[in-house]
Amino acid sequence: MNTQTQKRRVAVTGIGAITPLGLSMQDTWNAIIEGQSVGAPVERFDASQYPTKIGYEVRDFKLPKGLVREREEMYLSLAGQFGVAAANEALKQAGLTASLVYQPERVAVCLGIGMCSPELDWYQNVFVPERFEDESMTRHVRFYPDQVSSVIARMAGAKGGITTIHTACASSGQSLGEAYELIAHGEADVVLTGGADSMLHPFYLAGFSLLGALSKRNDSPRTASRPFDKDRDGFVLGEGACMLVFEDYEKAKARGARIFAEVCGYGITESAYRITDLHPEGTGPIEAMQMAVDDAGIRADQVGYVNAHGTSTLLNDRIEALAVSKVFGYGKNTKVKVSSTKSMTGHMISAAGAIEFAVCVKALEHQVLPPSVNVTTKDPECLVELTPSTPTDCRLDYALSNSVGFGGSNTALVAGRAK
Amino acid sequence: MNHEEIVITGAAAVTSKAIGLEQVKQLVLNGGQKATAADYSLKDFKAAPHITDRRMLKAVSNVDAIGLAAIEGLCKDIDYKQGMFPAERIGLYVGAPPATAYDNEPYMEAMAQANDRDGKASSGLFGKHCMGARPTTLLLGLPNNVLCYGAMILDAKGPNSNYTSLGLSGHLALINAARRVKRQNVDFAVAGGFCAHTEPVNSAIFKKLGLTDFVPADGAAFVSLERRDGATARGAKVLATYLGGATASDAMGPMMLDVNGEAYEGAIRRALSQAGIGANDIGLVLASSTGVTRVDTCEFSVLSRVFANVRELPAVGTFFPVLGHLMEASGLVELGLLSWLYEQQELPAPLRCQGKSSRIDPTKPYALLLKASPWGEYSCVVARKE
């Protein structure tokens, strides 16, 4: 039994993104609709000695001058810089930068922030006392994820509390869900939410390689991330950030804000199974999706599009597809179309849930199904109806975004067309 | 009694000198004042007696083992058995330290061989040498390991989260777990945090940040939360009642703090409002009192305003001198010991704050549990003794 009385409606009034596909949400969305994939050999560091040498890097990014204070910039890891740039775009779009229309204590920040590791030489210096003494203190705090949230709270003038979450690949899906609940239950009027991450770092390229989770299609980086394809062989690391402004729907309407979509439902579960694997029956994601649909007060057949977590690993895609089919049906019994935009963005880890929810919002706004890219032959064991390989106009009232993370956290978020 | 109230039905702690609430009580009564980070270290913590699953023990780092030992300690404290509650009706909320990676031995072993001819770190050489490490190297450093393995221990399949907000993380876990219990999304929730900040690199970083008076500690603390009607029905002991919680930020950016503490004061007033009580009802304040001058100055300035119109000021104390700063695990042991502190009628000497009242007025059964960070982030929890 849940207490659902007097839940407030929640609007999306701003989106910002820094992704491998573009340095704004609009550029990212345009690239997604065009079916672009920008996987390429890693350039940021020498990856020649790693089994996987490819990734989805954010290229040509520079933190805009004056966006943050000089000292703050030094505190920010690369992921943090992506985060504040995306937050700036989202706040501007929502019209919340110049002067706050809300009381600061009713504005909160809730973010999923990944591993903000400093450069390799910091680790080299840290165990050598004389080098450590010479290190400026700013690099030491870059791996505190809360730095990013703190800068963004300052930018948003948010005095209503800061929450920083890390549940691996589910981090930002969960941060969006918690942000939605803060507003729905009257604890905040506005929440700046989203995620930022960059695991394109020697430690994590090595770590995921050792786990055997990454694609080794080094000769074909653009097609290496191929969720639901029969010949997929692992995921490809991406990076970036996506930030959204969630706002009390009625208050947003009253101030004349543009509403891109409504956040309608949230589901959150733990698989309590294994650190890296989903339960073979899909339990965990099934309950999260069902919970989100129930929370939205709709039927499963009202959902027209699912943006799957779809990592392009053998087991994740198969089990997630099974879970989707159990909630939404399969074949003739379903109207829902599924895609994974990780084929185009790579796996943005702690930022994945946020960008994928933002894609759902754009799909609802434009009434377009994002294309399925890099699927040459669909895996017959993946029981989902994929979106076509080109963008398709459709009547879309609700879309659902799935996130599942190492550690067993599963989230699902339902977005609804703005009415 | 309100049957919809949220009650604390169990608590567990793992610290350098005390494991379990009874040992913490003894530590408090014996007045064991500590001075350095080494006194609060759990570097040589032997997790084996505390963690039942041997495979789990092998899969986690020392800091994760500290956290899991506290969850197992909580299970023992409340005689928890899987199946007591439906798995999907159990929530788990954890405050975890950030991933640092410098405590990941296989990575650091590869780093040691990653210098190029000029003595600079080479990512290519690092990659080459790291490929000989064990497959699960990455997993040693996941910040949500305790959430995952804790969920397995409890068979907790309901709502969950893992907070990496440094010193506020434990309170965030508690406040969010309480929200889920209140909304009846779960029947039973476990909330807490764990950390290991005494190791040399981290201690040096705190010093570099200017936090010289701040004594970090290693440890973990977890509590269990239920609705009173459920707890009563199953005959559970009740340690305290959770009545409200709020967080706030100065919104001034990293390492910046508003010494006037307006946002901090706002969090306290919101928490009091949620609890439906006023400052005059408070008999005990367990302050954050971190030892960082500007934070403590801010905190006591805020308290003087909150209690400005109160005739007799409440007792003000802190666990900081006894336990050190437990960071992600802080602000939780206090809940488990609240009723015991009231029984003492006066704050035991090691918990007292200089110049503040130590007499606990038994007619004022409400307490404030505070957290303040040098980052200008604050939380306040209001609880009532049982």
Side-chain angles (χ1 to χ4, degrees):
Chain A
M1 183 176 64
N2 294 336
T3 50
Q4 296 289 345
T5 50
Q6 295 176 325
K7 268 180 82 169
R8 301 192 305 170
R9 294 172 71 191
V10 179
V12 180
T13 57
I15 312 175
I18 300 292
T19 72
L21 291 171
L23 303 182
S24 69
M25 187 61 216
Q26 193 58 50
D27 286 352
T28 299
W29 173 246
N30 291 344
I32 284 172
I33 286 303
E34 288 169 13
Q36 285 184 22
S37 173
V38 292
V42 172
E43 287 184 358
R44 188 166 303 134
F45 57 88
D46 173 14
S48 62
Q49 300 293 321
Y50 299 70
T52 294
K53 309 172 202 314
I54 56 174
Y56 285 75
E57 287 176 304
V58 172
R59 301 263 167 93
D60 305 320
F61 172 79
K62 271 202 159 185
L63 193 64
K65 272 220 171 305
L67 183 58
V68 297
R69 296 168 182 153
E70 202 176 314
R71 197 173 51 96
E72 288 177 342
E73 187 171 344
M74 291 190 290
Y75 286 150
L76 291 171
S77 62
L78 184 59
Q81 295 190 20
F82 295 152
V84 297
N88 182 52
E89 184 190 356
L91 287 165
K92 267 190 182 166
Q93 190 171 53
L96 290 172
T97 35
S99 60
L100 274 174
V101 289
Y102 291 98
Q103 292 176 324
E105 62 271 22
R106 298 287 299 165
V107 182
V109 167
C110 185
L111 302 178
I113 304 293
M115 301 206 195
C116 304
S117 297
E119 300 79 1
L120 270 195
D121 66 301
W122 183 86
Y123 291 94
Q124 192 185 36
N125 294 349
V126 87
F127 294 108
V128 183
E130 56 272 29
R131 284 185 180 174
F132 186 76
E133 278 304 310
D134 290 342
E135 271 281 343
S136 88
M137 71 139 177
T138 52
R139 285 215 298 179
H140 299 318
V141 292
R142 282 186 195 166
F143 56 70
Y144 293 163
D146 212 36
Q147 299 293 329
V148 188
S149 316
S150 182
V151 174
I152 289 174
R154 201 262 307 149
M155 289 164 64
K159 296 192 174 187
I162 295 173
T163 304
T164 309
I165 291 172
H166 188 109
T167 44
C169 317
S171 302
S172 59
Q174 199 174 95
S175 75
L176 265 59
E178 300 296 313
Y180 154 75
E181 297 223 319
L182 282 175
I183 298 173
H185 293 280
E187 306 220 16
D189 292 330
V190 182
V191 185
L192 194 294
T193 182
D197 209 345
S198 175
M199 291 190 90
L200 275 164
H201 182 287
F203 283 176
Y204 307 118
L205 191 63
F208 282 119
S209 291
L210 286 165
L211 270 179
L214 298 179
S215 170
K216 290 179 191 154
R217 287 176 179 257
N218 295 312
D219 54 346
S220 181
R222 284 175 192 269
T223 64
S225 178
R226 43 198 311 125
F228 304 114
D229 183 80
K230 186 169 69 67
D231 296 321
R232 66 191 181 279
D233 71 333
F235 74 85
V236 183
L237 275 169
E239 62 181 357
C242 179
M243 299 287 163
L244 299 98
V245 175
F246 284 4
E247 197 168 343
D248 178 294
Y249 195 97
E250 297 306 327
K251 288 189 164 78
K253 210 165 116 184
R255 75 173 179 94
R258 183 175 170 193
I259 294 172
F260 294 97
E262 184 171 350
V263 193
C264 300
Y266 171 48
I268 165 90
T269 62
E270 236 297 330
S271 295
Y273 179 61
R274 285 182 189 157
I275 191 96
T276 54
D277 300 339
L278 285 169
H279 188 282
E281 298 296 318
T283 56
I286 291 174
E287 290 79 6
M289 283 186 273
Q290 194 59 59
M291 195 186 286
V293 168
D294 292 346
D295 187 38
I298 59 171
R299 299 182 315 274
D301 65 7
Q302 290 176 272
V303 175
Y305 170 62
V306 171
N307 189 303
H309 189 63
T311 55
S312 183
T313 59
L314 198 64
L315 279 179
N316 173 87
D317 291 5
R318 196 172 290 168
I319 295 169
E320 187 186 9
L322 174 69
V324 170
S325 73
K326 286 194 174 172
V327 176
F328 296 102
Y330 177 60
K332 287 176 186 164
N333 298 322
T334 188
K335 290 180 205 155
V336 77
K337 299 289 183 193
V338 177
S339 80
S340 166
T341 36
K342 286 188 178 74
S343 56
M344 294 175 268
T345 61
H347 195 338
M348 289 165 60
I349 312 287
S350 288
I355 189 65
E356 288 157 16
F357 181 79
V359 167
C360 290
V361 170
K362 298 304 269 185
L364 287 160
E365 183 192 355
H366 296 285
Q367 296 286 288
V368 171
L369 290 173
S372 289
V373 172
N374 291 341
V375 183
T376 309
T377 309
K378 196 193 125 190
D379 181 350
E381 291 193 50
C382 288
L383 306 178
V384 284
E385 297 295 324
L386 294 177
T387 61
S389 57
T390 52
T392 312
D393 292 342
C394 69
R395 163 82 190 183
L396 198 57
D397 289 321
Y398 296 98
L400 180 143
S401 173
N402 252 346
S403 297
V404 300
F406 273 14
S409 291
N410 313 290
T411 68
L413 286 150
V414 173
R417 187 164 55 91
K419 289 168 192 159
Chain B
M1 291 290 173
N2 177 353
H3 295 294
E4 293 181 2
E5 281 180 342
I6 300 162
V7 293
I8 306 298
T9 53
V14 172
T15 72
S16 61
K17 300 285 185 209
I19 294 189
L21 290 193
E22 288 308 316
Q23 287 189 16
V24 176
K25 285 179 193 174
Q26 291 311 310
L27 198 61
V28 168
L29 292 175
N30 294 336
Q33 296 255 359
K34 310 289 189 307
T36 68
D39 293 316
Y40 300 116
S41 172
L42 279 167
K43 183 167 69 75
D44 300 318
F45 179 62
K46 300 278 183 282
H50 306 287
I51 298 178
T52 316
D53 187 330
R54 291 287 169 268
R55 282 172 307 174
M56 198 177 282
L57 193 60
K58 281 185 184 166
V60 299
S61 62
N62 182 54
V63 62
D64 292 340
I66 294 167
L68 292 170
I71 291 178
E72 290 240 3
L74 177 69
C75 290
K76 282 188 194 122
D77 181 54
I78 60 173
D79 199 19
Y80 181 86
K81 301 278 185 300
Q82 286 194 1
M84 274 170 73
F85 303 93
E88 69 279 10
R89 302 281 302 167
I90 303 172
L92 178 57
Y93 288 80
V94 179
T100 55
Y102 59 71
D103 51 356
N104 189 318
E105 282 180 27
Y107 278 157
M108 291 307 112
E109 281 167 16
M111 272 303 300
Q113 301 173 74
N115 286 351
D116 64 16
R117 268 179 267 172
D118 300 326
K120 289 186 177 162
S122 153
S123 54
L125 287 173
F126 170 78
K128 186 179 167 187
H129 291 292
C130 201
M131 284 309 114
R134 59 174 157 148
T136 54
T137 294
L138 175 79
L139 305 178
L140 277 176
L142 288 187
N144 57 331
N145 275 341
V146 169
L147 172 66
C148 176
Y149 290 114
M152 291 182 206
I153 291 169
L154 297 161
D155 194 27
K157 295 183 177 174
N160 60 86
S161 198
N162 190 65
Y163 302 100
T164 50
S165 294
L166 298 170
L168 253 65
S169 303
H171 264 191
L172 279 170
L174 176 69
I175 290 168
N176 282 293
R179 282 175 176 149
R180 288 292 183 178
V181 176
K182 188 177 178 186
R183 291 175 202 152
Q184 298 184 55
N185 300 137
V186 298
D187 299 327
F188 177 80
V190 168
F194 66 101
C195 66
H197 291 293
T198 64
E199 43 79 23
V201 175
N202 224 343
S203 295
I205 289 173
F206 286 132
K207 282 209 175 77
K208 279 215 165 213
L209 291 174
L211 304 176
T212 45
D213 300 325
F214 173 92
V215 187
D218 301 344
F222 281 85
V223 298
S224 57
L225 301 89
E226 303 170 56
R227 268 168 50 118
R228 182 178 291 279
D229 49 6
T232 306
R234 69 178 190 87
K237 71 178 177 208
V238 174
L239 297 174
T241 304
Y242 173 97
L243 295 165
T247 61
S249 154
D250 286 332
M252 291 171 70
M255 299 298 292
M256 299 289 282
L257 174 137
D258 169 17
V259 286
N260 293 321
E262 280 178 31
Y264 194 2
E265 184 179 345
I268 295 173
R269 294 200 187 278
R270 283 201 300 281
L272 285 169
S273 165
Q274 267 183 39
I277 60 168
N280 197 40
D281 299 309
I282 300 295
L284 174 62
V285 176
L286 291 169
S288 186
S289 189
T290 57
V292 178
T293 309
R294 61 199 166 104
V295 183
D296 295 355
T297 306
C298 164
E299 182 164 58
F300 289 121
S301 149
V302 166
L303 288 176
S304 68
R305 291 202 299 276
V306 169
F307 293 103
N309 298 319
V310 174
R311 206 171 49 173
E312 193 179 347
L313 292 172
V316 180
T318 175
F319 274 75
F320 178 68
V322 174
L323 300 178
H325 199 308
L326 285 168
M327 294 284 282
E328 288 82 356
S330 61
L332 297 156
V333 172
E334 290 90 327
L335 265 178
L337 295 178
L338 196 58
S339 299
W340 175 76
L341 287 174
Y342 267 87
E343 283 168 19
Q344 310 307 301
Q345 298 182 8
E346 186 151 34
L347 276 172
L351 306 185
R352 292 177 195 167
C353 289
Q354 202 177 5
K356 307 292 173 194
S357 167
S358 61
R359 197 188 78 84
I360 306 173
D361 183 347
T363 67
K364 295 182 174 182
Y366 301 92
L368 290 184
L369 280 58
L370 304 176
K371 290 299 303 167
S373 90
W375 270 252
E377 293 175 34
Y378 314 98
S379 62
C380 173
V381 164
V382 180
R384 188 181 64 226
K385 79 171 179 83
E386 196 57 18

